[in-house]
Amino acid sequence: MSDGRLPRKVRIEHPCLPSRRRGICRFVTSMTRIGIIGAGNIAARHADVLSGFSDATVVAIADTDSRKAEALASQYGARAFGSHAAMLDAGGLDAVYVCVPPFAHGTAELAVLAANLPIFVEKPLSLDLVTAEKIAQEIADRKLVSAVGHHWRYLDTVQRARELLAGRPVRLALGHWLDKVPPVPWWTRQDMSGGQILEQAIHVLDLARVLVGEVAMVHAVPAASDAEGEIDRATAAVLRFEDGAAGLLAVTSLLEHKHRVGLEVHAEGLALDVGETRLVVNGEVEFEDPGEAKIRVDREFVNAVQGRPADVRVPYGEALRTHRLAYAVARSAAEGGPVRLDG
């Protein structure tokens, strides 16, 4: 637009959600205009999903690398900005996604909240606890819609696992993230990514909270490393859950491929191996996940922004509990001793 403003709301008619496709149901709502801070791979994934919704549109992309912002924005007819401040100043947004590297969290979220806009944040929430706690308090004070990208909560495999575990308390949990180094330059820097536990294995820890419960104590041991300032390339941790279950977590980025990622849980007469693509029950594959979790996490956030019935499973406050757990494991590895978590 020649005056630099983003488009106004557009009234559209669109079909109901997939869960209600059996009947004929159409209604009028507003096109939800979304801005995205960050133009990396995760931002591109969300932009692709959001562009597939008939009632949402990506209208702005902001990134400190203006070329990346322009490249991603051009795919969706959106405006590109060299900073989140410029994007927010332009106005015309109904919600904002914050998809930045771990070290960049904080300023962007607080600016979005100062504009009283609903916010979707990609994990991890930050490199520390103070920043995440401050953002959580601001969201609570302003009573804004929020969500965090823990999309594993929307896996059919996870739902089925919860059904199978009903009435059977888990007594042993074994988490794994055995993988390669992702192709981004900041990932192996401790001061930029926060390490593999905070940046990757936090998905597994979040799943452990869902299937097993809250964790009372962690004790992590990192492998020896000679590289100054580099993340731990392998870590093993013991977890003690509040209800008495024992847990182990093993992570490494030393491999050349993704070898194993997921969580095993063991209860009386039942062994479940829950992953992002399938569920194995007592050693046999029960079913493959349909792969819709990454769509659902965005769909439910948009529903909430629109004021419609929504199933936002991980608002920011809930994600903060998982962040505290991951941070405790990382802290234990750094300090060399057990760390207790508050109930």
Side-chain angles (χ1 to χ4, degrees):
M1 298 178 65
S2 58
D3 61 2
R5 291 177 295 179
L6 295 173
R8 294 180 179 179
K9 283 187 177 181
V10 178
R11 300 284 287 181
I12 64 167
E13 186 179 8
H14 74 95
C16 296
L17 290 174
S19 61
R20 298 173 63 187
R21 283 177 179 168
R22 294 179 181 176
I24 297 174
C25 175
R26 298 180 71 84
F27 56 93
V28 177
T29 188
S30 296
M31 178 69 81
T32 299
R33 302 159 301 174
I34 297 173
I36 300 178
I37 299 173
N41 293 334
I42 299 299
R45 188 192 83 200
H46 284 294
D48 183 59
V49 170
L50 292 166
S51 67
F53 298 155
S54 63
D55 57 346
T57 179
V58 177
V59 298
I61 305 287
D63 197 285
T64 53
D65 186 333
S66 58
R67 291 174 299 179
K68 290 177 65 176
E70 289 166 2
L72 184 57
S74 66
Q75 297 180 43
Y76 303 99
R79 286 194 62 201
F81 296 88
S83 70
H84 66 264
M87 184 184 81
L88 294 171
D89 286 344
L93 298 173
D94 300 310
V96 175
Y97 276 62
V98 179
C99 304
V100 298
F103 63 87
H105 283 287
T107 303
E109 286 94 332
L110 292 173
V112 171
L113 298 175
N116 279 313
L117 290 169
I119 189 169
F120 185 109
V121 180
E122 263 302 337
K123 37 60 60 186
L125 303 183
S126 64
L127 290 180
D128 58 8
L129 279 182
V130 174
T131 300
E133 298 276 4
K134 183 176 181 180
I135 293 168
Q137 189 60 56
E138 191 71 13
I139 290 171
D141 290 346
R142 292 178 179 270
K143 297 180 172 59
L144 290 168
V145 170
S146 69
V148 174
H150 283 294
H151 65 274
W152 283 28
R153 297 270 190 124
Y154 293 88
L155 293 169
D156 285 357
T157 53
V158 173
Q159 180 58 36
R160 179 58 179 152
R162 295 184 73 175
E163 293 169 357
L164 291 169
L165 287 169
R168 301 194 207 193
V170 173
R171 284 295 169 256
L172 179 65
L174 308 173
H176 311 84
W177 198 295
L178 313 177
D179 204 348
K180 62 183 183 300
V181 172
V184 286
W186 48 263
W187 199 83
T188 58
R189 291 269 305 273
Q190 182 66 31
D191 61 343
M192 300 184 81
S193 72
Q196 189 177 11
I197 291 167
L198 203 63
E199 213 283 323
Q200 281 184 332
I202 193 169
H203 278 302
V204 177
L205 292 171
D206 187 65
L207 184 56
R209 289 188 55 234
V210 172
L211 297 182
V212 188
E214 301 299 341
V215 176
M217 183 278 295
V218 299
H219 191 175
V221 179
S225 174
D226 297 326
E228 185 69 26
E230 187 179 80
I231 65 169
D232 296 324
R233 299 296 302 278
T235 304
V238 175
L239 292 79
R240 178 71 172 179
F241 291 83
E242 288 182 358
D243 72 348
L248 298 173
L249 176 69
V251 304
T252 186
S253 59
L254 291 168
L255 309 180
E256 296 181 352
H257 64 286
K258 182 180 282 188
H259 174 64
R260 188 174 187 187
V261 171
L263 179 73
E264 288 183 40
V265 291
H266 299 264
E268 187 71 34
L270 184 65
L272 304 180
D273 192 345
V274 188
E276 193 172 8
T277 61
R278 67 179 188 172
L279 172 66
V280 178
V281 181
N282 292 333
E284 297 183 3
V285 177
E286 177 166 301
F287 64 84
E288 305 288 335
D289 191 88
E292 297 178 354
K294 292 178 181 178
I295 298 173
R296 292 170 180 166
V297 68
D298 286 336
R299 179 66 261 175
E300 297 302 336
F301 174 68
V302 172
N303 289 347
V305 171
Q306 294 175 350
R308 302 164 61 194
D311 182 18
V312 175
R313 299 182 183 180
V314 192
Y316 197 95
E318 170 64 11
L320 179 58
R321 295 182 70 88
T322 297
H323 186 73
R324 289 175 183 142
L325 171 56
Y327 187 79
V329 177
R331 178 184 155 200
S332 176
E335 297 178 356
V339 172
R340 295 191 175 278
L341 290 94
D342 296 331

